[in-house]
Amino acid sequence: MIKDAARESLARIMDERSESFVALARASGLDPATGWRGADLRGVDFGTDDLTGFRFPRALLHGADLSQARGLRRDMFQDAAWDATTRFPPDFGLPASRLRPSLEPLTRWREPIPGLPEEAWPDMITLPAGEFLMGAPKGQVSGGYFMERPRRVTVPLPFAMGRTAVTFAMWDAALEAGLSRFFADYPLADEGWGRDDRPLINVSWNYAQAYCTWLNQRLGLAPGTYRLPSEAEWEYACRAGTTTPFSFGKTISTEQANYDGSLTYGKGRKGEYRERTVPVGSLPANPWGLHEMHGNVWEWVEDTYGPYPGQATDASPLVEAEPHEDERVLRGGSWLSEPRDLNSGGRYSHHKWVRDSTYGFRVARTLG
């Protein structure tokens, strides 16, 4: 919060309008880059001041007028609070009001992205804190991949997970709005299956990270607010409180997931092999309202591929794992997978720069 001397100076801005914000800010002795965290700047008229070098993280900006100010950048306002009474330059690109995501478990919400259509906004569900047994219990077939024996994991705080995988509509809109600056070669092929509400494919882990970085910058959020989920968070969300091989039970069918239906798991029956992705949200959701956690596309997560710790942990990502430091984990199976690969505890990996028609991702969001 601001020093008492600074509060007195700011009061003069409101009462006398005789000095600019920058002049009074300098008189307060606060560092422009670090001293205004959490500042109460409600109603302040910034006039035509040059705010280059200033930062206002977590500041209160309700009723403030920045419409004529110079030197503005969106990242100056990370986690600041404003509303429709705050005046930014018309083309500055921040939403009219800062969304406060719901912390109520299993609430669905969307965060507006300035300048993008609603179908390109993140479609999120708040998930509760809790704990679960991560991995495949002994005797449960889980895809044949190694290093997945169970460990107890605590998820200490609520977080949000994308209701679906990121779609071509979300990606293509982001490219038009500036995401393309992250790439030298960014077109992602849809294999002729269509774009719009189909899950993004042919995307590498590196590209997924760039999307999250762009999303935070576009919304003026702190780095890492939108991000890839950790592997533990992904499995927690996939299981949705269940302990069976799939969130749907002991087996799975092609009415519930998109995979190679010519093969079966347990006492399951054969079904349709679609040989391509299906639009997101077209198959049943798990108990927490998340669609296509099993099948459709493998989903990148944050973690480096490596053995699970032997002890109970929190849900933080595993980021150093010899000898697989260049490999990142993929979860959930795909349209091409056999059903055992869709197991909630199953995992796969590939190098972080690899793109494939079976690879996609969904975003998570830190709350609070």
Side-chain angles (χ1 to χ4, degrees):
M1 300 301 288
I2 309 175
K3 300 175 184 176
D4 290 342
R7 290 185 187 280
E8 293 173 4
S9 295
L10 291 173
R12 291 174 58 194
I13 295 177
M14 301 301 299
D15 296 338
E16 301 176 14
R17 312 284 180 178
S18 60
E19 294 186 67
S20 71
F21 170 82
V22 168
L24 294 172
R26 288 172 179 164
S28 73
L30 293 175
D31 185 324
T34 61
W36 297 91
R37 175 177 292 276
D40 187 345
L41 301 174
R42 289 175 291 182
V44 171
D45 185 349
F46 289 83
T48 59
D49 279 1
D50 184 351
L51 298 178
T52 301
F54 279 82
R55 296 182 68 85
F56 305 103
R58 297 188 176 276
L60 299 178
L61 293 165
H62 304 81
D65 187 351
L66 294 124
S67 60
Q68 302 298 317
R70 295 169 291 136
L72 298 185
R73 303 185 319 277
R74 288 192 294 271
D75 63 1
M76 294 167 68
F77 304 103
Q78 288 178 357
D79 295 323
W82 61 85
D83 60 16
T85 67
T86 308
R87 296 182 62 191
F88 290 109
D91 300 325
F92 188 53
L94 284 177
S97 60
R98 164 72 73 206
L99 175 81
R100 297 298 187 190
S102 174
L103 296 179
E104 185 67 27
L106 308 188
T107 300
R108 179 184 174 186
W109 48 272
R110 303 194 80 154
E111 187 148 18
I113 304 176
L116 271 65
E118 186 172 351
E119 59 267 24
W121 301 352
D123 188 357
M124 309 299 290
I125 292 183
T126 297
L127 303 185
E131 64 175 43
F132 75 112
L133 192 65
M134 179 180 179
K138 187 175 182 179
Q140 187 182 103
V141 177
S142 58
Y145 303 114
F146 57 93
M147 299 186 294
E148 51 190 54
R149 294 280 73 82
R151 61 175 171 131
R152 179 64 58 180
V153 174
T154 298
V155 179
L157 297 169
F159 69 100
M161 183 74 88
R163 190 177 70 91
T164 71
V166 170
T167 64
F168 271 104
M170 297 169 70
W171 179 265
D172 291 342
L175 287 178
E176 290 292 324
L179 175 62
S180 58
R181 73 180 185 272
F182 287 92
F183 308 110
D185 174 29
Y186 61 79
L188 298 182
D190 61 17
E191 306 296 332
W193 304 336
R195 301 177 82 82
D196 297 329
D197 59 353
R198 288 188 183 263
L200 185 68
I201 55 174
N202 290 308
V203 61
S204 69
W205 183 89
N206 287 335
Y207 277 25
Q209 291 287 358
Y211 176 81
C212 294
T213 297
W214 173 84
L215 193 55
N216 290 322
Q217 292 179 358
R218 183 77 176 187
L219 291 167
L221 298 171
T225 303
Y226 278 100
R227 54 185 173 77
L228 291 181
S230 72
E231 187 177 7
E233 287 174 331
W234 191 97
E235 184 172 328
Y236 179 68
C238 179
R239 289 189 179 278
T242 66
T243 58
T244 48
F246 309 94
S247 62
F248 299 111
K250 294 182 178 180
T251 189
I252 198 162
S253 72
T254 57
E255 287 78 34
Q256 298 164 323
N258 182 23
Y259 61 92
D260 182 353
S262 67
L263 303 171
T264 61
Y265 181 98
K267 295 182 180 180
R269 64 184 186 279
K270 291 184 179 182
E272 181 180 6
Y273 181 23
R274 300 176 177 91
E275 302 185 69
R276 63 184 61 196
T277 61
V278 298
V280 300
S282 59
L283 293 167
N286 74 6
W288 284 355
L290 303 170
H291 293 264
E292 291 93 41
M293 296 294 287
H294 304 290
N296 215 24
V297 290
W298 285 103
E299 296 182 7
W300 291 107
V301 297
E302 183 69 27
D303 301 52
T304 304
Y305 191 53
Y308 289 163
Q311 71 282 354
T313 65
D314 65 16
S316 300
L318 179 68
V319 294
E320 295 181 4
E322 296 286 349
H324 303 284
E325 62 272 10
D326 281 333
E327 294 185 41
R328 296 300 186 269
V329 175
L330 293 135
R331 283 302 206 116
S334 78
W335 60 269
L336 184 62
S337 299
E338 54 187 290
R340 66 176 186 168
D341 296 344
L342 278 58
N343 187 296
S344 296
R347 61 204 301 244
Y348 184 51
S349 72
H350 218 314
H351 296 292
K352 58 187 179 183
W353 57 84
V354 171
R355 293 187 274 172
D356 190 88
S357 64
T358 64
Y359 294 175
F361 70 99
R362 75 179 69 208
V363 295
R365 191 191 193 280
T366 300
L367 303 177

